[in-house]
Amino acid sequence: MVVQLSYRKSLRWVPGEPSEPTSTLVLDVGDFFVDLRMLKADSTIDWAMAGRRTILSSSPLECQWTKEICSQNTEAHDDIGIFEDLPNGDALEKGSMPNPDNSDKIQDYEEVWGNLDIAPSEQPAWILRSKDGNGITFVGKVGSWFQVLRKSEGGEFAVLREEKVDGSWLRRYQVGEKLPSMAELGEEVFSAEGWKQDTDVKVGGVTYTVYALEKA
């Protein structure tokens, strides 16, 4: 199954020019994803979403993303992209999706993606999901990266991204209400020992469903 860390290098709304105004990191584990795109200029949310990733075909690679939560409230619209391998090892994704800078009109896009290496580890990669009075929360960890996305019952969005550097978890981005943090709670709280996919686990006093659990 898939365990992948992807970062976006550029976005092009056809027929415009490519640019990259965001810091975008996607955690893929099994059939699920946690995708956080933060604007570099002011560290606000450009787009945050999480849900299921379905492979529609393998040649060419075509994927469909069904969003369970989305900061742009486009959960009703599944995104579909076709990937092409580039000579330098990057991937070119082409498709169509709502353009927030063009009144959410469906528009063709091209994105260039690179992959981050995942160091071998005994700790698996995972994505958890909870639904309670706080809304719907996705928590994901792949290698040295940790992301949390929450959409409240009222539609407000909160996000967190942390990275492990030299043995310590550092906060890279945080917006909105307080979220479960690897830096604050520690890795032992998020130990996946005994976890099984599609079962409920208790983490920091909160019940989550293990949506995806794969060896990194």
Side-chain angles (χ1 to χ4, degrees):
M1 295 294 286
V2 172
V3 175
Q4 184 171 269
L5 280 169
S6 303
Y7 69 99
R8 196 177 69 184
K9 291 187 170 183
S10 68
L11 164 66
R12 175 179 178 243
W13 292 105
V14 179
E17 294 298 318
S19 65
E20 186 47 271
T22 76
S23 172
T24 292
L25 182 69
V26 183
L27 280 57
D28 287 308
V29 185
D31 294 329
F32 294 89
F33 70 93
V34 178
D35 183 336
L36 177 56
R37 310 177 183 203
M38 302 296 295
L39 289 170
K40 297 175 183 177
D42 57 7
S43 297
T44 58
I45 300 171
D46 176 62
W47 198 5
M49 54 191 153
R52 180 182 290 272
R53 173 179 177 266
T54 304
I55 297 177
L56 301 179
S57 70
S58 57
S59 184
L61 178 61
E62 183 177 12
C63 297
Q64 175 178 329
W65 295 271
T66 302
K67 303 179 288 284
E68 191 167 340
I69 57 173
C70 175
S71 63
Q72 296 180 359
N73 301 312
T74 60
E75 286 92 341
H77 175 80
D78 289 353
D79 299 322
I80 296 177
I82 297 176
F83 289 84
E84 172 188 336
D85 291 333
L86 298 177
N88 67 350
D90 291 340
L92 173 64
E93 176 191 342
K94 297 181 179 180
S96 60
M97 61 182 177
N99 182 352
D101 297 323
N102 191 20
S103 303
D104 283 332
K105 292 180 180 178
I106 303 299
Q107 189 169 341
D108 290 342
Y109 71 87
E110 295 179 351
E111 292 176 310
V112 176
W113 295 91
N115 285 329
L116 295 176
D117 292 334
I118 304 171
S121 171
E122 294 300 316
Q123 293 296 318
W126 44 261
I127 290 176
L128 311 179
R129 183 262 199 193
S130 74
K131 184 176 182 180
D132 53 27
N134 291 320
I136 296 176
T137 306
F138 276 76
V139 183
K141 178 182 177 292
V142 177
S144 59
W145 291 94
F146 178 79
Q147 293 193 150
V148 186
L149 277 57
R150 174 180 292 162
K151 189 169 190 176
S152 73
E153 294 289 342
E156 294 84 8
F157 231 87
V159 302
L160 172 69
R161 179 188 295 165
E162 294 178 334
E163 179 188 9
K164 190 175 185 180
V165 179
D166 296 330
S168 298
W169 286 94
L170 306 179
R171 189 161 301 165
R172 297 306 189 193
Y173 291 101
Q174 181 177 15
V175 173
E177 65 179 292
K178 186 178 178 64
L179 296 171
S181 161
M182 191 72 77
E184 293 181 4
L185 296 176
E187 290 189 49
E188 61 277 2
V189 173
F190 292 96
S191 170
E193 185 176 355
W195 291 4
K196 294 182 180 179
Q197 189 161 319
D198 300 323
T199 63
D200 289 345
V201 296
K202 205 90 164 180
V203 179
V206 177
T207 299
Y208 295 88
T209 299
V210 181
Y211 262 19
L213 180 69
E214 300 287 345
K215 184 172 178 58

